[in-house]
Amino acid sequence: MNPQPLITTTEAVDKAFYVILGISGVMLLGVTVAMIYFVWRYNRKRYPVPLSQKDHNFWLETIWTIIPTILVMMMFWYGWEGYLSLRRIPDNAMPIHASARMWSWLFTYENGKTTNKLYVPVGQPVYVRLIAEDVLHSFYVPAFRVKRDCVPGMETYVWFVAEKAGSYDLFCAEYCGVGHADMITTVEALPAAEFAAWLNATPAEADAGKELLQKYGCLGCHSLDGSRIVGPSFKGMTGSSRTVVSNGQETTASADTDTLIRAIRQPAAEVVKGYPNAMPPYPDLSDDEIETMLAWLETLK
Ligand code: CUA
């Protein structure tokens, strides 16, 4: 356990924020009041000729050097303390892997379970290890005051603790392409017992296809309810007929199994008209996995 009581990331950042805001507020007020007073007191109408021509005052200059130095050092101190709290992972933190890719998040828990939303237990710190699979992304949860870039080829991290159950926004805060704005998800903070039950529940066999679509990030770009994200919705896709652009030519394609497999293996070969050619190819998917996904999509009609 920690020798000192746990300072949450929210407390650490807010303390520095309010100290700096407070000092800035007092300075703004002081400078403005002094300025208005001098404008009035030494107005040219009142004193057409300067009263004195002094250009040095040792004590005045010493004081106005020392006081701002102390204030700036105070701001630095609170900022530095806050920064250290953000970087120091509590001993009992639960590790979760977060993988950012165009354009969704994949969270992997200790037992191998994966999700697109980040589930955390209330009251226990979580240590989120961040990686990027393709380009720069940024993990940002305003409620916990954490924001950290996800950099390809490098592991970064954040930690935080949810003190109340609830749903908190999680954004990508680094422009990463056409689907950047769709990399919005949530942190779902569940009471500890509920979290443990959730973590150990095995998904129903019937949902295997959906699990794969989540795991490979498909649902970041293709909705299940007919709404448009980056690519066409999965709803009603199987068996439908679409105008596609292939080698610059428009043709009509029917979404049969072969066409759908080609759309996964070589997405650029045929692109549904009106959508960007933005999907990366997925060479690592096994035939079995594709079959499971397509069978599940079939049920979405
Ligand atoms: Cu990922 Cu913006």
Side-chain angles (χ1 to χ4, degrees), residues 51-85:
L51 292 180
S52 81
Q53 292 288 9
K54 265 199 182 157
D55 56 8
H56 279 300
N57 183 317
F58 175 78
W59 284 111
L60 189 61
E61 287 166 21
T62 306
I63 290 167
W64 82 35
T65 303
I66 291 174
I67 292 178
T69 304
I70 293 171
L71 291 176
V72 169
M73 290 311 288
M74 268 172 72
M75 292 195 248
F76 169 76
W77 172 253
Y78 282 103
W80 176 243
E81 276 286 289
Y83 176 76
L84 289 183
S85 299

PDB file of all heavy atoms in Angstrom, residues 51-85:
ATOM      1  N   LEU A  51       6.358  65.972 -12.312  1.00  0.00           N
ATOM      2  CA  LEU A  51       6.723  66.371 -10.955  1.00  0.00           C
ATOM      3  C   LEU A  51       8.177  66.051 -10.650  1.00  0.00           C
ATOM      4  O   LEU A  51       8.841  66.747  -9.917  1.00  0.00           O
ATOM      5  CB  LEU A  51       5.840  65.634  -9.947  1.00  0.00           C
ATOM      6  CG  LEU A  51       4.370  66.028  -9.935  1.00  0.00           C
ATOM      7  CD1 LEU A  51       3.642  65.205  -8.890  1.00  0.00           C
ATOM      8  CD2 LEU A  51       4.212  67.508  -9.644  1.00  0.00           C
ATOM      9  N   SER A  52       8.641  64.910 -11.175  1.00  0.00           N
ATOM     10  CA  SER A  52      10.032  64.539 -10.899  1.00  0.00           C
ATOM     11  C   SER A  52      10.533  63.709 -12.067  1.00  0.00           C
ATOM     12  O   SER A  52       9.758  63.254 -12.900  1.00  0.00           O
ATOM     13  CB  SER A  52      10.121  63.742  -9.599  1.00  0.00           C
ATOM     14  OG  SER A  52       9.765  62.394  -9.864  1.00  0.00           O
ATOM     15  N   GLN A  53      11.834  63.480 -12.135  1.00  0.00           N
ATOM     16  CA  GLN A  53      12.439  62.708 -13.230  1.00  0.00           C
ATOM     17  C   GLN A  53      13.245  61.537 -12.677  1.00  0.00           C
ATOM     18  O   GLN A  53      14.237  61.159 -13.263  1.00  0.00           O
ATOM     19  CB  GLN A  53      13.355  63.623 -14.074  1.00  0.00           C
ATOM     20  CG  GLN A  53      12.638  64.693 -14.863  1.00  0.00           C
ATOM     21  CD  GLN A  53      11.867  64.138 -16.061  1.00  0.00           C
ATOM     22  OE1 GLN A  53      11.734  62.944 -16.220  1.00  0.00           O
ATOM     23  NE2 GLN A  53      11.346  65.028 -16.891  1.00  0.00           N
ATOM     24  N   LYS A  54      12.842  60.962 -11.553  1.00  0.00           N
ATOM     25  CA  LYS A  54      13.594  59.851 -10.960  1.00  0.00           C
ATOM     26  C   LYS A  54      13.618  58.651 -11.900  1.00  0.00           C
ATOM     27  O   LYS A  54      12.584  58.295 -12.456  1.00  0.00           O
ATOM     28  CB  LYS A  54      12.921  59.433  -9.655  1.00  0.00           C
ATOM     29  CG  LYS A  54      13.528  60.093  -8.456  1.00  0.00           C
ATOM     30  CD  LYS A  54      13.175  59.336  -7.205  1.00  0.00           C
ATOM     31  CE  LYS A  54      13.789  60.088  -6.038  1.00  0.00           C
ATOM     32  NZ  LYS A  54      13.138  59.809  -4.790  1.00  0.00           N
ATOM     33  N   ASP A  55      14.772  58.034 -12.060  1.00  0.00           N
ATOM     34  CA  ASP A  55      14.765  56.821 -12.878  1.00  0.00           C
ATOM     35  C   ASP A  55      15.265  55.603 -12.122  1.00  0.00           C
ATOM     36  O   ASP A  55      15.390  54.529 -12.699  1.00  0.00           O
ATOM     37  CB  ASP A  55      15.510  57.014 -14.201  1.00  0.00           C
ATOM     38  CG  ASP A  55      16.921  57.482 -13.988  1.00  0.00           C
ATOM     39  OD1 ASP A  55      17.380  57.512 -12.830  1.00  0.00           O
ATOM     40  OD2 ASP A  55      17.580  57.817 -14.989  1.00  0.00           O
ATOM     41  N   HIS A  56      15.540  55.674 -10.815  1.00  0.00           N
ATOM     42  CA  HIS A  56      15.910  54.508 -10.019  1.00  0.00           C
ATOM     43  C   HIS A  56      15.270  54.571  -8.658  1.00  0.00           C
ATOM     44  O   HIS A  56      15.117  55.630  -8.088  1.00  0.00           O
ATOM     45  CB  HIS A  56      17.432  54.447  -9.801  1.00  0.00           C
ATOM     46  CG  HIS A  56      18.149  53.871 -10.975  1.00  0.00           C
ATOM     47  ND1 HIS A  56      17.926  52.611 -11.461  1.00  0.00           N
ATOM     48  CD2 HIS A  56      19.097  54.414 -11.776  1.00  0.00           C
ATOM     49  CE1 HIS A  56      18.700  52.393 -12.496  1.00  0.00           C
ATOM     50  NE2 HIS A  56      19.418  53.491 -12.725  1.00  0.00           N
ATOM     51  N   ASN A  57      14.878  53.380  -8.160  1.00  0.00           N
ATOM     52  CA  ASN A  57      14.475  53.298  -6.764  1.00  0.00           C
ATOM     53  C   ASN A  57      14.840  51.895  -6.311  1.00  0.00           C
ATOM     54  O   ASN A  57      14.180  50.919  -6.668  1.00  0.00           O
ATOM     55  CB  ASN A  57      12.975  53.555  -6.603  1.00  0.00           C
ATOM     56  CG  ASN A  57      12.570  53.553  -5.139  1.00  0.00           C
ATOM     57  OD1 ASN A  57      13.011  52.703  -4.363  1.00  0.00           O
ATOM     58  ND2 ASN A  57      11.762  54.527  -4.766  1.00  0.00           N
ATOM     59  N   PHE A  58      15.926  51.782  -5.585  1.00  0.00           N
ATOM     60  CA  PHE A  58      16.483  50.482  -5.225  1.00  0.00           C
ATOM     61  C   PHE A  58      15.450  49.567  -4.549  1.00  0.00           C
ATOM     62  O   PHE A  58      15.244  48.431  -4.961  1.00  0.00           O
ATOM     63  CB  PHE A  58      17.697  50.664  -4.307  1.00  0.00           C
ATOM     64  CG  PHE A  58      18.246  49.357  -3.815  1.00  0.00           C
ATOM     65  CD1 PHE A  58      19.047  48.574  -4.651  1.00  0.00           C
ATOM     66  CD2 PHE A  58      17.937  48.881  -2.544  1.00  0.00           C
ATOM     67  CE1 PHE A  58      19.533  47.361  -4.211  1.00  0.00           C
ATOM     68  CE2 PHE A  58      18.421  47.652  -2.112  1.00  0.00           C
ATOM     69  CZ  PHE A  58      19.226  46.896  -2.947  1.00  0.00           C
ATOM     70  N   TRP A  59      14.756  50.043  -3.540  1.00  0.00           N
ATOM     71  CA  TRP A  59      13.843  49.202  -2.777  1.00  0.00           C
ATOM     72  C   TRP A  59      12.640  48.784  -3.606  1.00  0.00           C
ATOM     73  O   TRP A  59      12.204  47.627  -3.575  1.00  0.00           O
ATOM     74  CB  TRP A  59      13.418  49.872  -1.470  1.00  0.00           C
ATOM     75  CG  TRP A  59      14.545  49.794  -0.491  1.00  0.00           C
ATOM     76  CD1 TRP A  59      15.309  50.835  -0.036  1.00  0.00           C
ATOM     77  CD2 TRP A  59      15.077  48.603   0.079  1.00  0.00           C
ATOM     78  NE1 TRP A  59      16.290  50.388   0.787  1.00  0.00           N
ATOM     79  CE2 TRP A  59      16.176  49.002   0.885  1.00  0.00           C
ATOM     80  CE3 TRP A  59      14.775  47.241  -0.004  1.00  0.00           C
ATOM     81  CZ2 TRP A  59      16.956  48.094   1.598  1.00  0.00           C
ATOM     82  CZ3 TRP A  59      15.530  46.350   0.713  1.00  0.00           C
ATOM     83  CH2 TRP A  59      16.610  46.760   1.499  1.00  0.00           C
ATOM     84  N   LEU A  60      12.120  49.728  -4.355  1.00  0.00           N
ATOM     85  CA  LEU A  60      10.979  49.409  -5.217  1.00  0.00           C
ATOM     86  C   LEU A  60      11.355  48.297  -6.205  1.00  0.00           C
ATOM     87  O   LEU A  60      10.632  47.308  -6.362  1.00  0.00           O
ATOM     88  CB  LEU A  60      10.539  50.669  -5.971  1.00  0.00           C
ATOM     89  CG  LEU A  60       9.242  50.554  -6.741  1.00  0.00           C
ATOM     90  CD1 LEU A  60       8.081  50.244  -5.800  1.00  0.00           C
ATOM     91  CD2 LEU A  60       8.957  51.845  -7.499  1.00  0.00           C
ATOM     92  N   GLU A  61      12.513  48.443  -6.814  1.00  0.00           N
ATOM     93  CA  GLU A  61      12.929  47.450  -7.813  1.00  0.00           C
ATOM     94  C   GLU A  61      13.213  46.089  -7.173  1.00  0.00           C
ATOM     95  O   GLU A  61      12.935  45.041  -7.752  1.00  0.00           O
ATOM     96  CB  GLU A  61      14.152  47.951  -8.588  1.00  0.00           C
ATOM     97  CG  GLU A  61      13.770  49.056  -9.553  1.00  0.00           C
ATOM     98  CD  GLU A  61      14.956  49.820 -10.114  1.00  0.00           C
ATOM     99  OE1 GLU A  61      16.087  49.286 -10.093  1.00  0.00           O
ATOM    100  OE2 GLU A  61      14.736  50.958 -10.568  1.00  0.00           O
ATOM    101  N   THR A  62      13.769  46.117  -5.951  1.00  0.00           N
ATOM    102  CA  THR A  62      14.053  44.859  -5.253  1.00  0.00           C
ATOM    103  C   THR A  62      12.742  44.139  -4.939  1.00  0.00           C
ATOM    104  O   THR A  62      12.597  42.942  -5.195  1.00  0.00           O
ATOM    105  CB  THR A  62      14.830  45.138  -3.949  1.00  0.00           C
ATOM    106  OG1 THR A  62      15.980  45.901  -4.282  1.00  0.00           O
ATOM    107  CG2 THR A  62      15.254  43.830  -3.284  1.00  0.00           C
ATOM    108  N   ILE A  63      11.785  44.904  -4.428  1.00  0.00           N
ATOM    109  CA  ILE A  63      10.507  44.289  -4.061  1.00  0.00           C
ATOM    110  C   ILE A  63       9.789  43.742  -5.290  1.00  0.00           C
ATOM    111  O   ILE A  63       9.284  42.625  -5.283  1.00  0.00           O
ATOM    112  CB  ILE A  63       9.633  45.309  -3.291  1.00  0.00           C
ATOM    113  CG1 ILE A  63      10.246  45.549  -1.909  1.00  0.00           C
ATOM    114  CG2 ILE A  63       8.199  44.805  -3.136  1.00  0.00           C
ATOM    115  CD1 ILE A  63       9.668  46.737  -1.178  1.00  0.00           C
ATOM    116  N   TRP A  64       9.776  44.510  -6.365  1.00  0.00           N
ATOM    117  CA  TRP A  64       9.043  43.995  -7.519  1.00  0.00           C
ATOM    118  C   TRP A  64       9.809  42.913  -8.285  1.00  0.00           C
ATOM    119  O   TRP A  64       9.326  42.357  -9.243  1.00  0.00           O
ATOM    120  CB  TRP A  64       8.454  45.109  -8.389  1.00  0.00           C
ATOM    121  CG  TRP A  64       9.344  45.793  -9.402  1.00  0.00           C
ATOM    122  CD1 TRP A  64      10.342  45.264 -10.150  1.00  0.00           C
ATOM    123  CD2 TRP A  64       9.212  47.157  -9.801  1.00  0.00           C
ATOM    124  NE1 TRP A  64      10.862  46.193 -10.972  1.00  0.00           N
ATOM    125  CE2 TRP A  64      10.190  47.377 -10.794  1.00  0.00           C
ATOM    126  CE3 TRP A  64       8.367  48.209  -9.425  1.00  0.00           C
ATOM    127  CZ2 TRP A  64      10.345  48.629 -11.404  1.00  0.00           C
ATOM    128  CZ3 TRP A  64       8.531  49.430 -10.057  1.00  0.00           C
ATOM    129  CH2 TRP A  64       9.519  49.644 -11.023  1.00  0.00           C
ATOM    130  N   THR A  65      11.000  42.616  -7.840  1.00  0.00           N
ATOM    131  CA  THR A  65      11.690  41.429  -8.369  1.00  0.00           C
ATOM    132  C   THR A  65      11.408  40.224  -7.453  1.00  0.00           C
ATOM    133  O   THR A  65      11.112  39.129  -7.934  1.00  0.00           O
ATOM    134  CB  THR A  65      13.216  41.676  -8.433  1.00  0.00           C
ATOM    135  OG1 THR A  65      13.435  42.823  -9.238  1.00  0.00           O
ATOM    136  CG2 THR A  65      13.939  40.471  -9.045  1.00  0.00           C
ATOM    137  N   ILE A  66      11.473  40.452  -6.144  1.00  0.00           N
ATOM    138  CA  ILE A  66      11.327  39.331  -5.200  1.00  0.00           C
ATOM    139  C   ILE A  66       9.899  38.772  -5.182  1.00  0.00           C
ATOM    140  O   ILE A  66       9.705  37.549  -5.277  1.00  0.00           O
ATOM    141  CB  ILE A  66      11.768  39.750  -3.779  1.00  0.00           C
ATOM    142  CG1 ILE A  66      13.285  39.955  -3.777  1.00  0.00           C
ATOM    143  CG2 ILE A  66      11.387  38.682  -2.747  1.00  0.00           C
ATOM    144  CD1 ILE A  66      13.831  40.506  -2.482  1.00  0.00           C
ATOM    145  N   ILE A  67       8.901  39.627  -5.114  1.00  0.00           N
ATOM    146  CA  ILE A  67       7.514  39.132  -5.007  1.00  0.00           C
ATOM    147  C   ILE A  67       7.117  38.295  -6.231  1.00  0.00           C
ATOM    148  O   ILE A  67       6.659  37.160  -6.079  1.00  0.00           O
ATOM    149  CB  ILE A  67       6.529  40.286  -4.722  1.00  0.00           C
ATOM    150  CG1 ILE A  67       6.791  40.821  -3.299  1.00  0.00           C
ATOM    151  CG2 ILE A  67       5.075  39.808  -4.836  1.00  0.00           C
ATOM    152  CD1 ILE A  67       5.922  41.984  -2.904  1.00  0.00           C
ATOM    153  N   PRO A  68       7.333  38.799  -7.451  1.00  0.00           N
ATOM    154  CA  PRO A  68       6.974  37.945  -8.602  1.00  0.00           C
ATOM    155  C   PRO A  68       7.786  36.649  -8.639  1.00  0.00           C
ATOM    156  O   PRO A  68       7.268  35.611  -9.053  1.00  0.00           O
ATOM    157  CB  PRO A  68       7.291  38.815  -9.818  1.00  0.00           C
ATOM    158  CG  PRO A  68       7.217  40.213  -9.305  1.00  0.00           C
ATOM    159  CD  PRO A  68       7.713  40.154  -7.882  1.00  0.00           C
ATOM    160  N   THR A  69       9.050  36.692  -8.183  1.00  0.00           N
ATOM    161  CA  THR A  69       9.851  35.456  -8.178  1.00  0.00           C
ATOM    162  C   THR A  69       9.206  34.424  -7.258  1.00  0.00           C
ATOM    163  O   THR A  69       9.071  33.249  -7.610  1.00  0.00           O
ATOM    164  CB  THR A  69      11.297  35.747  -7.724  1.00  0.00           C
ATOM    165  OG1 THR A  69      11.832  36.742  -8.585  1.00  0.00           O
ATOM    166  CG2 THR A  69      12.166  34.500  -7.794  1.00  0.00           C
ATOM    167  N   ILE A  70       8.759  34.878  -6.084  1.00  0.00           N
ATOM    168  CA  ILE A  70       8.107  33.961  -5.147  1.00  0.00           C
ATOM    169  C   ILE A  70       6.822  33.407  -5.766  1.00  0.00           C
ATOM    170  O   ILE A  70       6.553  32.200  -5.712  1.00  0.00           O
ATOM    171  CB  ILE A  70       7.804  34.673  -3.807  1.00  0.00           C
ATOM    172  CG1 ILE A  70       9.120  35.011  -3.106  1.00  0.00           C
ATOM    173  CG2 ILE A  70       6.924  33.806  -2.908  1.00  0.00           C
ATOM    174  CD1 ILE A  70       8.960  35.906  -1.884  1.00  0.00           C
ATOM    175  N   LEU A  71       6.046  34.290  -6.385  1.00  0.00           N
ATOM    176  CA  LEU A  71       4.783  33.839  -6.987  1.00  0.00           C
ATOM    177  C   LEU A  71       5.027  32.813  -8.091  1.00  0.00           C
ATOM    178  O   LEU A  71       4.357  31.780  -8.171  1.00  0.00           O
ATOM    179  CB  LEU A  71       4.010  35.036  -7.555  1.00  0.00           C
ATOM    180  CG  LEU A  71       3.452  36.013  -6.516  1.00  0.00           C
ATOM    181  CD1 LEU A  71       2.784  37.198  -7.199  1.00  0.00           C
ATOM    182  CD2 LEU A  71       2.463  35.302  -5.595  1.00  0.00           C
ATOM    183  N   VAL A  72       6.021  33.092  -8.938  1.00  0.00           N
ATOM    184  CA  VAL A  72       6.315  32.167 -10.038  1.00  0.00           C
ATOM    185  C   VAL A  72       6.829  30.834  -9.483  1.00  0.00           C
ATOM    186  O   VAL A  72       6.450  29.762  -9.965  1.00  0.00           O
ATOM    187  CB  VAL A  72       7.320  32.818 -11.023  1.00  0.00           C
ATOM    188  CG1 VAL A  72       7.848  31.796 -12.005  1.00  0.00           C
ATOM    189  CG2 VAL A  72       6.662  33.964 -11.774  1.00  0.00           C
ATOM    190  N   MET A  73       7.648  30.876  -8.436  1.00  0.00           N
ATOM    191  CA  MET A  73       8.151  29.639  -7.837  1.00  0.00           C
ATOM    192  C   MET A  73       7.002  28.837  -7.205  1.00  0.00           C
ATOM    193  O   MET A  73       6.993  27.608  -7.260  1.00  0.00           O
ATOM    194  CB  MET A  73       9.222  29.932  -6.759  1.00  0.00           C
ATOM    195  CG  MET A  73      10.542  30.459  -7.315  1.00  0.00           C
ATOM    196  SD  MET A  73      11.199  29.505  -8.687  1.00  0.00           S
ATOM    197  CE  MET A  73      11.721  28.020  -7.856  1.00  0.00           C
ATOM    198  N   MET A  74       6.026  29.543  -6.632  1.00  0.00           N
ATOM    199  CA  MET A  74       4.867  28.848  -6.073  1.00  0.00           C
ATOM    200  C   MET A  74       4.092  28.119  -7.174  1.00  0.00           C
ATOM    201  O   MET A  74       3.695  26.971  -7.022  1.00  0.00           O
ATOM    202  CB  MET A  74       3.911  29.849  -5.404  1.00  0.00           C
ATOM    203  CG  MET A  74       4.160  30.047  -3.932  1.00  0.00           C
ATOM    204  SD  MET A  74       3.147  31.411  -3.312  1.00  0.00           S
ATOM    205  CE  MET A  74       1.530  30.649  -3.336  1.00  0.00           C
ATOM    206  N   MET A  75       3.906  28.812  -8.302  1.00  0.00           N
ATOM    207  CA  MET A  75       3.183  28.189  -9.416  1.00  0.00           C
ATOM    208  C   MET A  75       3.960  26.972  -9.910  1.00  0.00           C
ATOM    209  O   MET A  75       3.391  25.917 -10.191  1.00  0.00           O
ATOM    210  CB  MET A  75       2.979  29.181 -10.558  1.00  0.00           C
ATOM    211  CG  MET A  75       2.025  30.291 -10.207  1.00  0.00           C
ATOM    212  SD  MET A  75       1.498  31.158 -11.688  1.00  0.00           S
ATOM    213  CE  MET A  75       2.239  32.719 -11.473  1.00  0.00           C
ATOM    214  N   PHE A  76       5.280  27.122  -9.987  1.00  0.00           N
ATOM    215  CA  PHE A  76       6.098  26.002 -10.439  1.00  0.00           C
ATOM    216  C   PHE A  76       5.967  24.828  -9.460  1.00  0.00           C
ATOM    217  O   PHE A  76       5.773  23.684  -9.862  1.00  0.00           O
ATOM    218  CB  PHE A  76       7.568  26.417 -10.549  1.00  0.00           C
ATOM    219  CG  PHE A  76       8.482  25.242 -10.757  1.00  0.00           C
ATOM    220  CD1 PHE A  76       8.566  24.625 -12.002  1.00  0.00           C
ATOM    221  CD2 PHE A  76       9.213  24.706  -9.701  1.00  0.00           C
ATOM    222  CE1 PHE A  76       9.364  23.511 -12.185  1.00  0.00           C
ATOM    223  CE2 PHE A  76      10.009  23.588  -9.875  1.00  0.00           C
ATOM    224  CZ  PHE A  76      10.095  22.989 -11.121  1.00  0.00           C
ATOM    225  N   TRP A  77       6.018  25.138  -8.180  1.00  0.00           N
ATOM    226  CA  TRP A  77       5.979  24.094  -7.165  1.00  0.00           C
ATOM    227  C   TRP A  77       4.679  23.286  -7.246  1.00  0.00           C
ATOM    228  O   TRP A  77       4.693  22.057  -7.300  1.00  0.00           O
ATOM    229  CB  TRP A  77       6.153  24.701  -5.770  1.00  0.00           C
ATOM    230  CG  TRP A  77       5.937  23.707  -4.688  1.00  0.00           C
ATOM    231  CD1 TRP A  77       4.868  23.626  -3.847  1.00  0.00           C
ATOM    232  CD2 TRP A  77       6.782  22.605  -4.366  1.00  0.00           C
ATOM    233  NE1 TRP A  77       4.997  22.554  -3.014  1.00  0.00           N
ATOM    234  CE2 TRP A  77       6.170  21.900  -3.313  1.00  0.00           C
ATOM    235  CE3 TRP A  77       7.993  22.141  -4.868  1.00  0.00           C
ATOM    236  CZ2 TRP A  77       6.718  20.763  -2.751  1.00  0.00           C
ATOM    237  CZ3 TRP A  77       8.545  21.004  -4.308  1.00  0.00           C
ATOM    238  CH2 TRP A  77       7.917  20.322  -3.266  1.00  0.00           C
ATOM    239  N   TYR A  78       3.562  23.984  -7.287  1.00  0.00           N
ATOM    240  CA  TYR A  78       2.283  23.271  -7.367  1.00  0.00           C
ATOM    241  C   TYR A  78       2.155  22.497  -8.685  1.00  0.00           C
ATOM    242  O   TYR A  78       1.634  21.387  -8.726  1.00  0.00           O
ATOM    243  CB  TYR A  78       1.107  24.236  -7.167  1.00  0.00           C
ATOM    244  CG  TYR A  78       0.917  24.581  -5.710  1.00  0.00           C
ATOM    245  CD1 TYR A  78       1.332  25.809  -5.204  1.00  0.00           C
ATOM    246  CD2 TYR A  78       0.348  23.654  -4.843  1.00  0.00           C
ATOM    247  CE1 TYR A  78       1.179  26.125  -3.865  1.00  0.00           C
ATOM    248  CE2 TYR A  78       0.191  23.950  -3.503  1.00  0.00           C
ATOM    249  CZ  TYR A  78       0.609  25.183  -3.015  1.00  0.00           C
ATOM    250  OH  TYR A  78       0.450  25.470  -1.688  1.00  0.00           O
ATOM    251  N   GLY A  79       2.649  23.095  -9.760  1.00  0.00           N
ATOM    252  CA  GLY A  79       2.604  22.414 -11.059  1.00  0.00           C
ATOM    253  C   GLY A  79       3.456  21.149 -11.043  1.00  0.00           C
ATOM    254  O   GLY A  79       3.048  20.086 -11.520  1.00  0.00           O
ATOM    255  N   TRP A  80       4.641  21.256 -10.439  1.00  0.00           N
ATOM    256  CA  TRP A  80       5.576  20.132 -10.398  1.00  0.00           C
ATOM    257  C   TRP A  80       5.033  18.996  -9.526  1.00  0.00           C
ATOM    258  O   TRP A  80       5.061  17.820  -9.906  1.00  0.00           O
ATOM    259  CB  TRP A  80       6.917  20.635  -9.873  1.00  0.00           C
ATOM    260  CG  TRP A  80       7.968  19.598  -9.671  1.00  0.00           C
ATOM    261  CD1 TRP A  80       8.543  19.249  -8.498  1.00  0.00           C
ATOM    262  CD2 TRP A  80       8.598  18.796 -10.681  1.00  0.00           C
ATOM    263  NE1 TRP A  80       9.477  18.268  -8.702  1.00  0.00           N
ATOM    264  CE2 TRP A  80       9.531  17.965 -10.036  1.00  0.00           C
ATOM    265  CE3 TRP A  80       8.447  18.691 -12.068  1.00  0.00           C
ATOM    266  CZ2 TRP A  80      10.312  17.049 -10.727  1.00  0.00           C
ATOM    267  CZ3 TRP A  80       9.227  17.768 -12.757  1.00  0.00           C
ATOM    268  CH2 TRP A  80      10.142  16.968 -12.090  1.00  0.00           C
ATOM    269  N   GLU A  81       4.476  19.364  -8.357  1.00  0.00           N
ATOM    270  CA  GLU A  81       3.880  18.366  -7.465  1.00  0.00           C
ATOM    271  C   GLU A  81       2.740  17.640  -8.175  1.00  0.00           C
ATOM    272  O   GLU A  81       2.611  16.420  -8.100  1.00  0.00           O
ATOM    273  CB  GLU A  81       3.309  19.071  -6.223  1.00  0.00           C
ATOM    274  CG  GLU A  81       4.336  19.323  -5.163  1.00  0.00           C
ATOM    275  CD  GLU A  81       4.690  18.031  -4.450  1.00  0.00           C
ATOM    276  OE1 GLU A  81       3.834  17.533  -3.698  1.00  0.00           O
ATOM    277  OE2 GLU A  81       5.810  17.534  -4.672  1.00  0.00           O
ATOM    278  N   GLY A  82       1.920  18.413  -8.869  1.00  0.00           N
ATOM    279  CA  GLY A  82       0.789  17.834  -9.596  1.00  0.00           C
ATOM    280  C   GLY A  82       1.271  16.892 -10.685  1.00  0.00           C
ATOM    281  O   GLY A  82       0.756  15.782 -10.857  1.00  0.00           O
ATOM    282  N   TYR A  83       2.314  17.326 -11.396  1.00  0.00           N
ATOM    283  CA  TYR A  83       2.862  16.507 -12.471  1.00  0.00           C
ATOM    284  C   TYR A  83       3.384  15.177 -11.920  1.00  0.00           C
ATOM    285  O   TYR A  83       3.130  14.109 -12.485  1.00  0.00           O
ATOM    286  CB  TYR A  83       3.979  17.274 -13.183  1.00  0.00           C
ATOM    287  CG  TYR A  83       4.673  16.463 -14.238  1.00  0.00           C
ATOM    288  CD1 TYR A  83       4.059  16.236 -15.475  1.00  0.00           C
ATOM    289  CD2 TYR A  83       5.913  15.884 -13.999  1.00  0.00           C
ATOM    290  CE1 TYR A  83       4.673  15.461 -16.436  1.00  0.00           C
ATOM    291  CE2 TYR A  83       6.543  15.107 -14.956  1.00  0.00           C
ATOM    292  CZ  TYR A  83       5.919  14.899 -16.171  1.00  0.00           C
ATOM    293  OH  TYR A  83       6.526  14.132 -17.109  1.00  0.00           O
ATOM    294  N   LEU A  84       4.096  15.251 -10.778  1.00  0.00           N
ATOM    295  CA  LEU A  84       4.628  14.017 -10.186  1.00  0.00           C
ATOM    296  C   LEU A  84       3.485  13.071  -9.798  1.00  0.00           C
ATOM    297  O   LEU A  84       3.592  11.859  -9.981  1.00  0.00           O
ATOM    298  CB  LEU A  84       5.495  14.325  -8.963  1.00  0.00           C
ATOM    299  CG  LEU A  84       6.850  14.977  -9.259  1.00  0.00           C
ATOM    300  CD1 LEU A  84       7.629  15.169  -7.966  1.00  0.00           C
ATOM    301  CD2 LEU A  84       7.670  14.160 -10.256  1.00  0.00           C
ATOM    302  N   SER A  85       2.404  13.618  -9.260  1.00  0.00           N
ATOM    303  CA  SER A  85       1.263  12.764  -8.904  1.00  0.00           C
ATOM    304  C   SER A  85       0.696  12.071 -10.142  1.00  0.00           C
ATOM    305  O   SER A  85       0.277  10.921 -10.083  1.00  0.00           O
ATOM    306  CB  SER A  85       0.141  13.582  -8.262  1.00  0.00           C
ATOM    307  OG  SER A  85       0.587  14.174  -7.090  1.00  0.00           O
TER     308      SER A  85
END
